[in-house]
Amino acid sequence: MKCTIKVSEVKNLDNKKGSKESATTLRGFATAVFGDSFKVTNIAILEKKDDQSLFVSMPRYRSGGDGESGVEYKNICNPITKEFHDMLYGAILAAFQAKNFDEITFNDPDCTEGKLNFNVQVTPFEREGSNVRGLARVYLDQEFVVNHIVILEGKKGEFIAMPNYKTKRVLEDNRPEYQDICYPITKEFRVRLYETIFEEYRLEKAKRPPLPLPPADEAIKAVEKETPFR
């Protein structure tokens, strides 16, 4: 699978260190584009405070927890093979340590011609009072997985919401502005991806009744509470 990465350095580190209890310091961010079609942002480059070693942290969401066991997080997306994991993380860290802030492309076999293959898994859900209709997972070339793609019921019917976060900006109608974390970057791939997700969603709904929506997932609660209707 073709992958293009770009890293950036966080300035004013003293303001980015967070709490004194934190064991890591944010040093930078990276983006990755797969097959010239799908982009992942908010990949963090962190430094351990005890030995100053660097490591990569994929975008995460809070899934629950708050008590003695602490807050629980899950990856929004991540590599699913050791080979691609080592290749992606290694390229990000090497570029950051070399202060190479240009785009770097790797793992581009001639036979792929840049086309990004994928397959999807969809689980329909339902809960009274919820506008969540299903959750989807997308596998890119069987090397990288994107979780927590949500099928929602909006004012004009069902639509797909890619993993996102709420920014500090506010729209003209006073609604919060959301920014996608993982998303298609070409119209052709977006249409192909969304059509495949909806097709799988309809097939799964025809097989069996939707499952009850997991109540403990903090990300689902946030989606239900503040849905960016589109």
Side-chain angles (χ1 to χ4, degrees), residues 53-219:
S53 62
L54 297 174
F55 67 98
V56 174
S57 177
M58 300 303 295
R60 303 184 299 168
Y61 69 93
R62 180 173 172 174
S63 62
D66 220 359
E68 296 180 359
S69 59
V71 178
E72 297 175 1
Y73 291 92
K74 293 181 180 179
N75 282 341
I76 291 174
C77 54
N78 55 271
I80 54 177
T81 67
K82 183 180 186 303
E83 180 181 12
F84 191 71
H85 171 280
D86 293 346
M87 193 177 301
L88 177 61
Y89 286 27
I92 290 173
L93 292 178
F96 183 81
Q97 290 170 326
K99 294 188 179 296
N100 183 352
F101 303 127
D102 296 324
E103 290 186 348
I104 300 172
T105 299
F106 64 91
N107 192 23
D108 184 16
D110 294 337
C111 60
T112 66
E113 298 180 352
K115 182 178 180 180
L116 183 59
N117 297 312
F118 68 91
N119 63 292
V120 305
Q121 292 181 348
V122 181
T123 304
F125 287 107
E126 68 175 11
R127 183 166 66 210
E128 185 177 356
S130 172
N131 60 343
V132 176
R133 297 293 177 261
L135 292 176
R137 177 176 292 154
V138 174
Y139 295 88
L140 303 176
D141 264 356
Q142 298 301 318
E143 293 184 311
F144 194 89
V145 62
V146 180
N147 303 296
H148 220 278
I149 299 171
V150 186
I151 300 172
L152 295 163
E153 182 71 34
K155 295 179 180 179
K156 298 181 180 180
E158 292 172 334
F159 68 98
I160 292 171
M162 299 302 294
N164 57 63
Y165 66 94
K166 185 169 67 173
T167 71
K168 295 181 180 179
R169 296 184 293 272
V170 178
L171 301 175
E172 292 181 359
D173 57 1
N174 291 324
R175 289 186 297 115
E177 183 178 52
Y178 287 79
Q179 180 69 47
D180 285 345
I181 297 171
C182 315
Y183 52 92
I185 58 174
T186 68
K187 179 181 178 181
E188 292 77 11
F189 188 75
R190 179 181 182 275
V191 170
R192 189 157 63 101
L193 176 63
Y194 286 17
E195 285 182 347
T196 303
I197 291 175
F198 275 127
E199 180 180 0
E200 187 67 19
Y201 170 64
R202 290 189 289 268
L203 288 173
E204 289 299 319
K205 280 186 67 177
K207 289 180 183 178
R208 54 183 176 272
L211 297 173
L213 195 64
D217 196 308
E218 295 293 334

Side-chain angles (χ1 to χ4, degrees), residues 6-87:
K6 185 177 177 64
V7 302
S8 61
E9 189 175 20
V10 172
K11 303 297 183 181
N12 301 322
L13 289 180
D14 290 340
N15 298 326
K16 298 289 185 178
K17 291 182 179 180
S19 65
K20 295 182 179 180
E21 292 78 13
S22 175
T24 61
T25 299
L26 177 64
R27 293 288 308 278
F29 284 105
T31 61
V33 175
F34 302 110
D36 297 326
S37 302
F38 192 91
K39 187 173 187 177
V40 176
T41 66
N42 285 43
I43 302 172
I45 302 170
L46 301 173
E47 180 183 76
K48 295 181 181 179
K49 289 184 178 179
D50 56 357
D51 60 6
Q52 285 74 56
S53 62
L54 297 174
F55 67 98
V56 174
S57 177
M58 300 303 295
R60 303 184 299 168
Y61 69 93
R62 180 173 172 174
S63 62
D66 220 359
E68 296 180 359
S69 59
V71 178
E72 297 175 1
Y73 291 92
K74 293 181 180 179
N75 282 341
I76 291 174
C77 54
N78 55 271
I80 54 177
T81 67
K82 183 180 186 303
E83 180 181 12
F84 191 71
H85 171 280
D86 293 346
M87 193 177 301

